[in-house]
Amino acid sequence: MKPPARADSDRAADLIRAVRQRTPARVLIGRAGPAYRTHTQLALRRDHAAALDAVQTELDLARDLAPELVKRWGLFMVTTCAEDKTDYLLRPDLGRRLSPPARQLIQERCPRRAEVQVAIGDGLSVAAVKAQVPVLLDKLAREARQREWRFGQPFVIRHCRVGVLNDIGELLEPEVVVLLIGERPGLATAQSLSAYMAYQPQAGHTDAERNLISNIHHRGVRPADAAVRIVRLVERMRHLRRSGTEVKEQLDEATRLGPTV
């Protein structure tokens, strides 16, 4: 006996569920008359508050990264030329330069000419650093060591902008610098991290000489997957001896499809 055809409303509900499982964006969420439903309004206010907190919070190494992680990696924190959060937000140029004490400390504690040098920057979301860096840093190191790369001493930068990559490149002369930095929070999540990468960065380099994997969070690019993609990109940079727009990421099927939660 042929089963009864499913109602259009059932098929529409299935489609909406499938779409919403693929993205944290607020699509197909429904309305009550001309307005959002109450639970949607409350969620928006909650997420807006989380975004503001993520931007305004000052990074604290002991509080935001697990003490065990800090000890195991010997993490230390330096600052850029931006002296406080207000300075950082109003003067992006200061966030792109390491302060003189930071330059001295990095030179004292970090070996030069590593094959991969990782730095962790607060950027615009301390919440992203706190949520994603512990898994990502360990996984990155494992992937690098499997390839017998020299993995530089990681360190943390407060009031950090992406352009600080150039200062790191000139100070330590690594082959590739990977900067893990908090993204500007949105209303989908305040825990999204980016990984900017550059081959032998130096003064004057721009975003055209950099590669990026963004949206690293539990409903975007998962940290473990991001580590694999970062290492593959580093391999291509080392092979081609360049980075930026001329270096394209090659994704396999599993990576291209992304999470299915």
Side-chain angles (χ1 to χ4, degrees):
M1 180 177 177
K2 188 177 179 181
R6 301 182 68 207
D8 289 348
S9 60
D10 290 340
R11 288 195 293 271
D14 288 345
L15 177 61
I16 290 171
R17 274 194 295 274
V19 170
R20 299 204 61 199
Q21 284 175 348
R22 300 291 301 179
T23 174
R26 287 181 169 85
V27 294
L28 302 174
I29 54 177
R31 292 176 178 273
Y36 288 132
R37 293 169 176 153
T38 300
H39 68 82
T40 303
Q41 289 280 14
L42 292 174
L44 279 168
R45 293 177 64 180
R46 177 201 63 200
D47 294 342
H48 186 241
L52 290 175
D53 285 348
V55 172
Q56 295 293 342
T57 300
E58 290 281 8
L59 178 64
D60 183 293
L61 201 57
R63 182 196 63 206
D64 297 320
L65 293 176
E68 186 276 334
L69 183 85
V70 173
K71 181 179 180 182
R72 176 154 45 87
W73 283 105
L75 292 177
F76 63 97
M77 186 157 69
V78 298
T79 65
T80 63
C81 292
E83 295 183 354
D84 54 35
K85 185 66 77 172
T86 300
D87 214 12
Y88 168 76
L89 293 172
L90 297 179
R91 291 284 308 274
D93 57 315
L94 298 179
R96 299 183 188 115
R97 302 201 310 269
L98 293 165
S99 68
R103 298 173 69 89
Q104 182 176 347
L105 188 57
I106 290 170
Q107 287 178 309
E108 289 172 357
R109 298 192 56 173
C110 298
R112 296 171 66 237
R113 297 177 182 165
E115 281 156 338
V116 180
Q117 175 65 54
V118 172
I120 302 158
D122 53 359
L124 289 165
S125 177
V126 170
V129 172
K130 182 177 180 179
Q132 316 305 344
V133 163
V135 173
L136 189 51
L137 181 59
D138 286 347
K139 179 73 172 173
L140 267 178
R142 280 197 297 273
E143 293 284 340
R145 285 169 181 157
Q146 285 175 5
R147 291 161 175 79
E148 300 183 345
W149 294 344
R150 290 190 304 278
F151 196 76
Q153 166 64 51
F155 58 92
V156 180
I157 310 171
R158 178 186 275 176
H159 304 147
C160 176
R161 298 276 180 178
V162 173
V164 82
L165 277 163
N166 295 351
D167 270 9
I168 298 170
E170 294 200 329
L171 275 178
L172 298 178
E173 301 182 78
E175 200 162 358
V176 177
V177 181
V178 178
L179 176 64
L180 308 177
I181 185 168
E183 289 180 4
R184 183 189 305 276
L187 293 179
T189 180
Q191 298 183 345
S192 187
L193 193 82
S194 285
Y196 282 84
M197 291 152 273
Y199 183 82
Q200 296 183 346
Q202 55 189 276
H205 281 191
T206 68
D207 283 346
E209 282 89 24
R210 300 166 190 147
N211 293 80
L212 165 67
I213 294 176
S214 61
N215 283 315
I216 302 171
H217 57 89
H218 76 288
R219 292 202 64 188
V221 181
R222 290 164 295 194
D225 294 337
V228 173
R229 291 175 59 181
I230 291 167
V231 168
R232 288 178 182 173
L233 261 172
V234 171
E235 280 181 325
R236 285 187 59 74
M237 291 176 189
R238 296 187 65 215
H239 175 70
L240 298 171
R241 299 182 64 81
R242 65 173 69 92
S243 57
T245 55
E246 297 179 1
V247 179
K248 306 299 182 187
E249 187 181 14
Q250 296 177 329
L251 296 177
D252 56 30
E253 188 66 17
T255 309
R256 187 163 45 245
L257 288 174
T260 55
V261 294

mmCIF file of all heavy atoms in Angstrom, residues 129-166:
data_model
loop_
_atom_site.group_PDB
_atom_site.id
_atom_site.type_symbol
_atom_site.label_atom_id
_atom_site.label_comp_id
_atom_site.label_asym_id
_atom_site.label_seq_id
_atom_site.Cartn_x
_atom_site.Cartn_y
_atom_site.Cartn_z
ATOM 1 N N VAL A 129 39.150 33.934 22.339
ATOM 2 C CA VAL A 129 40.452 33.394 22.760
ATOM 3 C C VAL A 129 40.247 32.342 23.842
ATOM 4 O O VAL A 129 40.811 31.244 23.790
ATOM 5 C CB VAL A 129 41.354 34.534 23.262
ATOM 6 C CG1 VAL A 129 42.631 33.978 23.888
ATOM 7 C CG2 VAL A 129 41.691 35.483 22.117
ATOM 8 N N LYS A 130 39.426 32.681 24.805
ATOM 9 C CA LYS A 130 39.178 31.773 25.932
ATOM 10 C C LYS A 130 38.548 30.462 25.467
ATOM 11 O O LYS A 130 38.919 29.380 25.924
ATOM 12 C CB LYS A 130 38.258 32.475 26.933
ATOM 13 C CG LYS A 130 37.945 31.691 28.172
ATOM 14 C CD LYS A 130 37.074 32.541 29.103
ATOM 15 C CE LYS A 130 36.727 31.782 30.374
ATOM 16 N NZ LYS A 130 35.900 32.617 31.287
ATOM 17 N N ALA A 131 37.622 30.544 24.522
ATOM 18 C CA ALA A 131 36.877 29.353 24.112
ATOM 19 C C ALA A 131 37.644 28.471 23.138
ATOM 20 O O ALA A 131 37.525 27.242 23.190
ATOM 21 C CB ALA A 131 35.549 29.782 23.483
ATOM 22 N N GLN A 132 38.425 29.050 22.225
ATOM 23 C CA GLN A 132 38.968 28.262 21.116
ATOM 24 C C GLN A 132 40.459 27.963 21.217
ATOM 25 O O GLN A 132 40.923 26.947 20.678
ATOM 26 C CB GLN A 132 38.707 28.990 19.775
ATOM 27 C CG GLN A 132 37.330 29.575 19.601
ATOM 28 C CD GLN A 132 36.183 28.578 19.800
ATOM 29 O OE1 GLN A 132 36.387 27.358 19.781
ATOM 30 N NE2 GLN A 132 34.985 29.080 20.045
ATOM 31 N N VAL A 133 41.218 28.831 21.856
ATOM 32 C CA VAL A 133 42.680 28.666 21.818
ATOM 33 C C VAL A 133 43.174 27.382 22.486
ATOM 34 O O VAL A 133 44.077 26.722 21.945
ATOM 35 C CB VAL A 133 43.377 29.911 22.411
ATOM 36 C CG1 VAL A 133 44.833 29.615 22.769
ATOM 37 C CG2 VAL A 133 43.314 31.052 21.410
ATOM 38 N N PRO A 134 42.643 26.962 23.643
ATOM 39 C CA PRO A 134 43.203 25.760 24.276
ATOM 40 C C PRO A 134 43.217 24.544 23.358
ATOM 41 O O PRO A 134 44.230 23.845 23.251
ATOM 42 C CB PRO A 134 42.296 25.563 25.498
ATOM 43 C CG PRO A 134 41.858 26.945 25.856
ATOM 44 C CD PRO A 134 41.650 27.633 24.531
ATOM 45 N N VAL A 135 42.118 24.270 22.683
ATOM 46 C CA VAL A 135 42.072 23.118 21.775
ATOM 47 C C VAL A 135 42.937 23.368 20.553
ATOM 48 O O VAL A 135 43.712 22.511 20.117
ATOM 49 C CB VAL A 135 40.618 22.837 21.349
ATOM 50 C CG1 VAL A 135 40.585 21.762 20.264
ATOM 51 C CG2 VAL A 135 39.795 22.409 22.546
ATOM 52 N N LEU A 136 42.828 24.555 19.990
ATOM 53 C CA LEU A 136 43.508 24.858 18.731
ATOM 54 C C LEU A 136 45.028 24.847 18.886
ATOM 55 O O LEU A 136 45.747 24.305 18.030
ATOM 56 C CB LEU A 136 43.025 26.221 18.222
ATOM 57 C CG LEU A 136 43.450 26.649 16.822
ATOM 58 C CD1 LEU A 136 43.143 25.569 15.793
ATOM 59 C CD2 LEU A 136 42.749 27.942 16.452
ATOM 60 N N LEU A 137 45.533 25.423 19.946
ATOM 61 C CA LEU A 137 46.986 25.494 20.127
ATOM 62 C C LEU A 137 47.594 24.102 20.263
ATOM 63 O O LEU A 137 48.609 23.782 19.621
ATOM 64 C CB LEU A 137 47.307 26.343 21.363
ATOM 65 C CG LEU A 137 48.796 26.523 21.676
ATOM 66 C CD1 LEU A 137 49.523 27.183 20.520
ATOM 67 C CD2 LEU A 137 48.972 27.350 22.958
ATOM 68 N N ASP A 138 46.988 23.248 21.080
ATOM 69 C CA ASP A 138 47.516 21.890 21.254
ATOM 70 C C ASP A 138 47.479 21.112 19.943
ATOM 71 O O ASP A 138 48.426 20.406 19.590
ATOM 72 C CB ASP A 138 46.713 21.140 22.320
ATOM 73 C CG ASP A 138 47.029 21.629 23.732
ATOM 74 O OD1 ASP A 138 48.026 22.353 23.897
ATOM 75 O OD2 ASP A 138 46.284 21.281 24.657
ATOM 76 N N LYS A 139 46.373 21.228 19.223
ATOM 77 C CA LYS A 139 46.231 20.483 17.971
ATOM 78 C C LYS A 139 47.225 20.997 16.921
ATOM 79 O O LYS A 139 47.830 20.207 16.179
ATOM 80 C CB LYS A 139 44.792 20.641 17.471
ATOM 81 C CG LYS A 139 44.498 19.945 16.154
ATOM 82 C CD LYS A 139 44.409 18.459 16.294
ATOM 83 C CE LYS A 139 43.926 17.816 14.986
ATOM 84 N NZ LYS A 139 43.996 16.352 15.042
ATOM 85 N N LEU A 140 47.403 22.289 16.856
ATOM 86 C CA LEU A 140 48.373 22.863 15.914
ATOM 87 C C LEU A 140 49.779 22.331 16.180
ATOM 88 O O LEU A 140 50.512 21.960 15.257
ATOM 89 C CB LEU A 140 48.392 24.388 16.054
ATOM 90 C CG LEU A 140 47.487 25.216 15.151
ATOM 91 C CD1 LEU A 140 47.632 26.688 15.492
ATOM 92 C CD2 LEU A 140 47.834 24.959 13.692
ATOM 93 N N ALA A 141 50.137 22.307 17.458
ATOM 94 C CA ALA A 141 51.476 21.836 17.817
ATOM 95 C C ALA A 141 51.660 20.376 17.440
ATOM 96 O O ALA A 141 52.713 19.983 16.925
ATOM 97 C CB ALA A 141 51.697 22.044 19.314
ATOM 98 N N ARG A 142 50.635 19.550 17.682
ATOM 99 C CA ARG A 142 50.745 18.134 17.320
ATOM 100 C C ARG A 142 50.935 17.965 15.814
ATOM 101 O O ARG A 142 51.771 17.193 15.353
ATOM 102 C CB ARG A 142 49.497 17.368 17.786
ATOM 103 C CG ARG A 142 49.513 16.994 19.254
ATOM 104 C CD ARG A 142 48.488 15.909 19.563
ATOM 105 N NE ARG A 142 47.124 16.344 19.301
ATOM 106 C CZ ARG A 142 46.375 16.985 20.173
ATOM 107 N NH1 ARG A 142 46.842 17.270 21.371
ATOM 108 N NH2 ARG A 142 45.143 17.346 19.876
ATOM 109 N N GLU A 143 50.127 18.688 15.046
ATOM 110 C CA GLU A 143 50.220 18.579 13.585
ATOM 111 C C GLU A 143 51.595 19.034 13.098
ATOM 112 O O GLU A 143 52.181 18.442 12.186
ATOM 113 C CB GLU A 143 49.123 19.424 12.925
ATOM 114 C CG GLU A 143 47.710 18.934 13.168
ATOM 115 C CD GLU A 143 47.363 17.713 12.319
ATOM 116 O OE1 GLU A 143 48.046 17.488 11.310
ATOM 117 O OE2 GLU A 143 46.422 16.989 12.695
ATOM 118 N N ALA A 144 52.114 20.097 13.697
ATOM 119 C CA ALA A 144 53.419 20.609 13.278
ATOM 120 C C ALA A 144 54.531 19.621 13.621
ATOM 121 O O ALA A 144 55.439 19.375 12.820
ATOM 122 C CB ALA A 144 53.676 21.959 13.942
ATOM 123 N N ARG A 145 54.438 19.026 14.817
ATOM 124 C CA ARG A 145 55.497 18.095 15.233
ATOM 125 C C ARG A 145 55.477 16.813 14.414
ATOM 126 O O ARG A 145 56.522 16.215 14.179
ATOM 127 C CB ARG A 145 55.358 17.807 16.730
ATOM 128 C CG ARG A 145 55.825 18.985 17.570
ATOM 129 C CD ARG A 145 55.464 18.850 19.017
ATOM 130 N NE ARG A 145 55.919 20.022 19.769
ATOM 131 C CZ ARG A 145 55.403 20.405 20.926
ATOM 132 N NH1 ARG A 145 54.418 19.715 21.469
ATOM 133 N NH2 ARG A 145 55.868 21.469 21.541
ATOM 134 N N GLN A 146 54.284 16.394 13.996
ATOM 135 C CA GLN A 146 54.212 15.219 13.117
ATOM 136 C C GLN A 146 54.975 15.452 11.822
ATOM 137 O O GLN A 146 55.447 14.523 11.191
ATOM 138 C CB GLN A 146 52.752 14.886 12.825
ATOM 139 C CG GLN A 146 52.035 14.230 13.997
ATOM 140 C CD GLN A 146 50.555 14.022 13.720
ATOM 141 O OE1 GLN A 146 50.067 14.284 12.616
ATOM 142 N NE2 GLN A 146 49.835 13.547 14.717
ATOM 143 N N ARG A 147 55.066 16.718 11.433
ATOM 144 C CA ARG A 147 55.791 17.071 10.204
ATOM 145 C C ARG A 147 57.239 17.480 10.491
ATOM 146 O O ARG A 147 57.933 17.937 9.597
ATOM 147 C CB ARG A 147 55.046 18.203 9.489
ATOM 148 C CG ARG A 147 53.712 17.761 8.903
ATOM 149 C CD ARG A 147 52.800 18.925 8.619
ATOM 150 N NE ARG A 147 51.577 18.511 7.943
ATOM 151 C CZ ARG A 147 50.522 17.956 8.549
ATOM 152 N NH1 ARG A 147 50.565 17.765 9.859
ATOM 153 N NH2 ARG A 147 49.456 17.604 7.873
ATOM 154 N N GLU A 148 57.621 17.354 11.773
ATOM 155 C CA GLU A 148 58.983 17.660 12.204
ATOM 156 C C GLU A 148 59.358 19.113 11.937
ATOM 157 O O GLU A 148 60.488 19.431 11.570
ATOM 158 C CB GLU A 148 59.991 16.700 11.549
ATOM 159 C CG GLU A 148 59.720 15.251 11.910
ATOM 160 C CD GLU A 148 60.757 14.301 11.331
ATOM 161 O OE1 GLU A 148 61.505 14.719 10.426
ATOM 162 O OE2 GLU A 148 60.815 13.157 11.801
ATOM 163 N N TRP A 149 58.375 20.011 12.105
ATOM 164 C CA TRP A 149 58.646 21.443 11.999
ATOM 165 C C TRP A 149 59.119 21.977 13.344
ATOM 166 O O TRP A 149 58.672 21.518 14.394
ATOM 167 C CB TRP A 149 57.376 22.215 11.608
ATOM 168 C CG TRP A 149 56.875 21.901 10.235
ATOM 169 C CD1 TRP A 149 57.535 21.272 9.221
ATOM 170 C CD2 TRP A 149 55.565 22.203 9.729
ATOM 171 N NE1 TRP A 149 56.723 21.168 8.112
ATOM 172 C CE2 TRP A 149 55.523 21.720 8.395
ATOM 173 C CE3 TRP A 149 54.451 22.828 10.266
ATOM 174 C CZ2 TRP A 149 54.392 21.865 7.599
ATOM 175 C CZ3 TRP A 149 53.322 22.970 9.476
ATOM 176 C CH2 TRP A 149 53.294 22.489 8.154
ATOM 177 N N ARG A 150 59.986 22.960 13.322
ATOM 178 C CA ARG A 150 60.343 23.674 14.553
ATOM 179 C C ARG A 150 59.184 24.602 14.909
ATOM 180 O O ARG A 150 58.813 25.472 14.125
ATOM 181 C CB ARG A 150 61.634 24.479 14.364
ATOM 182 C CG ARG A 150 62.876 23.631 14.225
ATOM 183 C CD ARG A 150 64.147 24.493 14.293
ATOM 184 N NE ARG A 150 64.150 25.547 13.288
ATOM 185 C CZ ARG A 150 64.512 25.369 12.019
ATOM 186 N NH1 ARG A 150 64.916 24.181 11.615
ATOM 187 N NH2 ARG A 150 64.486 26.362 11.160
ATOM 188 N N PHE A 151 58.615 24.388 16.093
ATOM 189 C CA PHE A 151 57.433 25.133 16.546
ATOM 190 C C PHE A 151 57.903 26.177 17.552
ATOM 191 O O PHE A 151 58.411 25.845 18.624
ATOM 192 C CB PHE A 151 56.447 24.162 17.186
ATOM 193 C CG PHE A 151 55.055 24.702 17.365
ATOM 194 C CD1 PHE A 151 54.192 24.815 16.291
ATOM 195 C CD2 PHE A 151 54.609 25.089 18.620
ATOM 196 C CE1 PHE A 151 52.898 25.291 16.455
ATOM 197 C CE2 PHE A 151 53.317 25.569 18.801
ATOM 198 C CZ PHE A 151 52.458 25.667 17.711
ATOM 199 N N GLY A 152 57.771 27.437 17.210
ATOM 200 C CA GLY A 152 58.284 28.512 18.058
ATOM 201 C C GLY A 152 57.565 28.616 19.397
ATOM 202 O O GLY A 152 56.491 28.047 19.595
ATOM 203 N N GLN A 153 58.171 29.340 20.326
ATOM 204 C CA GLN A 153 57.553 29.579 21.641
ATOM 205 C C GLN A 153 56.326 30.478 21.462
ATOM 206 O O GLN A 153 56.454 31.656 21.100
ATOM 207 C CB GLN A 153 58.573 30.256 22.553
ATOM 208 C CG GLN A 153 57.988 30.854 23.826
ATOM 209 C CD GLN A 153 57.390 29.809 24.749
ATOM 210 O OE1 GLN A 153 58.047 28.832 25.063
ATOM 211 N NE2 GLN A 153 56.144 30.002 25.162
ATOM 212 N N PRO A 154 55.111 29.980 21.719
ATOM 213 C CA PRO A 154 53.917 30.833 21.572
ATOM 214 C C PRO A 154 53.889 31.917 22.655
ATOM 215 O O PRO A 154 54.409 31.737 23.761
ATOM 216 C CB PRO A 154 52.744 29.856 21.756
ATOM 217 C CG PRO A 154 53.332 28.488 21.699
ATOM 218 C CD PRO A 154 54.755 28.615 22.131
ATOM 219 N N PHE A 155 53.271 33.026 22.349
ATOM 220 C CA PHE A 155 53.064 34.093 23.331
ATOM 221 C C PHE A 155 51.757 34.813 23.037
ATOM 222 O O PHE A 155 51.133 34.590 21.987
ATOM 223 C CB PHE A 155 54.254 35.064 23.342
ATOM 224 C CG PHE A 155 54.544 35.704 22.014
ATOM 225 C CD1 PHE A 155 53.979 36.924 21.672
ATOM 226 C CD2 PHE A 155 55.385 35.090 21.107
ATOM 227 C CE1 PHE A 155 54.242 37.511 20.446
ATOM 228 C CE2 PHE A 155 55.666 35.671 19.874
ATOM 229 C CZ PHE A 155 55.093 36.891 19.544
ATOM 230 N N VAL A 156 51.317 35.639 23.989
ATOM 231 C CA VAL A 156 50.001 36.290 23.926
ATOM 232 C C VAL A 156 50.194 37.800 23.813
ATOM 233 O O VAL A 156 51.075 38.372 24.475
ATOM 234 C CB VAL A 156 49.183 35.944 25.197
ATOM 235 C CG1 VAL A 156 47.820 36.612 25.154
ATOM 236 C CG2 VAL A 156 49.037 34.427 25.336
ATOM 237 N N ILE A 157 49.368 38.435 22.990
ATOM 238 C CA ILE A 157 49.481 39.883 22.771
ATOM 239 C C ILE A 157 48.169 40.559 23.155
ATOM 240 O O ILE A 157 47.112 40.244 22.588
ATOM 241 C CB ILE A 157 49.794 40.205 21.294
ATOM 242 C CG1 ILE A 157 50.973 39.374 20.796
ATOM 243 C CG2 ILE A 157 50.075 41.697 21.136
ATOM 244 C CD1 ILE A 157 51.194 39.488 19.293
ATOM 245 N N ARG A 158 48.240 41.469 24.072
ATOM 246 C CA ARG A 158 47.053 42.254 24.459
ATOM 247 C C ARG A 158 46.928 43.485 23.543
ATOM 248 O O ARG A 158 47.932 44.054 23.145
ATOM 249 C CB ARG A 158 47.170 42.689 25.925
ATOM 250 C CG ARG A 158 46.007 43.540 26.402
ATOM 251 C CD ARG A 158 46.268 44.053 27.801
ATOM 252 N NE ARG A 158 45.866 43.095 28.815
ATOM 253 C CZ ARG A 158 46.057 43.271 30.107
ATOM 254 N NH1 ARG A 158 46.668 44.342 30.550
ATOM 255 N NH2 ARG A 158 45.645 42.367 30.975
ATOM 256 N N HIS A 159 45.694 43.876 23.241
ATOM 257 C CA HIS A 159 45.386 45.025 22.372
ATOM 258 C C HIS A 159 45.984 44.814 20.980
ATOM 259 O O HIS A 159 46.672 45.668 20.439
ATOM 260 C CB HIS A 159 45.888 46.338 22.982
ATOM 261 C CG HIS A 159 45.365 46.606 24.346
ATOM 262 N ND1 HIS A 159 46.065 47.269 25.317
ATOM 263 C CD2 HIS A 159 44.185 46.275 24.929
ATOM 264 C CE1 HIS A 159 45.358 47.355 26.425
ATOM 265 N NE2 HIS A 159 44.206 46.753 26.216
ATOM 266 N N CYS A 160 45.681 43.659 20.430
ATOM 267 C CA CYS A 160 46.367 43.192 19.206
ATOM 268 C C CYS A 160 45.523 43.405 17.952
ATOM 269 O O CYS A 160 44.335 43.084 17.921
ATOM 270 C CB CYS A 160 46.671 41.706 19.390
ATOM 271 S SG CYS A 160 47.413 40.916 17.973
ATOM 272 N N ARG A 161 46.143 43.924 16.916
ATOM 273 C CA ARG A 161 45.558 44.001 15.562
ATOM 274 C C ARG A 161 46.346 43.074 14.635
ATOM 275 O O ARG A 161 47.507 42.720 14.922
ATOM 276 C CB ARG A 161 45.624 45.433 15.035
ATOM 277 C CG ARG A 161 44.836 46.438 15.852
ATOM 278 C CD ARG A 161 43.380 46.472 15.466
ATOM 279 N NE ARG A 161 42.645 47.452 16.279
ATOM 280 C CZ ARG A 161 41.356 47.712 16.116
ATOM 281 N NH1 ARG A 161 40.674 47.093 15.173
ATOM 282 N NH2 ARG A 161 40.752 48.589 16.896
ATOM 283 N N VAL A 162 45.736 42.743 13.514
ATOM 284 C CA VAL A 162 46.341 41.760 12.604
ATOM 285 C C VAL A 162 47.709 42.210 12.089
ATOM 286 O O VAL A 162 48.631 41.411 11.923
ATOM 287 C CB VAL A 162 45.381 41.489 11.421
ATOM 288 C CG1 VAL A 162 46.052 40.602 10.370
ATOM 289 C CG2 VAL A 162 44.097 40.843 11.919
ATOM 290 N N GLY A 163 47.867 43.512 11.868
ATOM 291 C CA GLY A 163 49.114 44.007 11.299
ATOM 292 C C GLY A 163 50.340 43.767 12.159
ATOM 293 O O GLY A 163 51.471 43.932 11.683
ATOM 294 N N VAL A 164 50.137 43.329 13.413
ATOM 295 C CA VAL A 164 51.282 43.043 14.285
ATOM 296 C C VAL A 164 52.099 41.864 13.746
ATOM 297 O O VAL A 164 53.240 41.653 14.156
ATOM 298 C CB VAL A 164 50.790 42.780 15.725
ATOM 299 C CG1 VAL A 164 50.302 41.342 15.896
ATOM 300 C CG2 VAL A 164 51.867 43.104 16.743
ATOM 301 N N LEU A 165 51.520 41.116 12.823
ATOM 302 C CA LEU A 165 52.259 40.033 12.159
ATOM 303 C C LEU A 165 53.594 40.528 11.613
ATOM 304 O O LEU A 165 54.606 39.817 11.685
ATOM 305 C CB LEU A 165 51.424 39.482 10.999
ATOM 306 C CG LEU A 165 50.343 38.439 11.316
ATOM 307 C CD1 LEU A 165 49.366 38.335 10.162
ATOM 308 C CD2 LEU A 165 50.984 37.096 11.585
ATOM 309 N N ASN A 166 53.611 41.730 11.074
ATOM 310 C CA ASN A 166 54.846 42.237 10.460
ATOM 311 C C ASN A 166 55.951 42.431 11.497
ATOM 312 O O ASN A 166 57.114 42.114 11.255
ATOM 313 C CB ASN A 166 54.569 43.558 9.734
ATOM 314 C CG ASN A 166 53.632 43.367 8.554
ATOM 315 O OD1 ASN A 166 53.321 42.248 8.178
ATOM 316 N ND2 ASN A 166 53.171 44.473 7.981
#
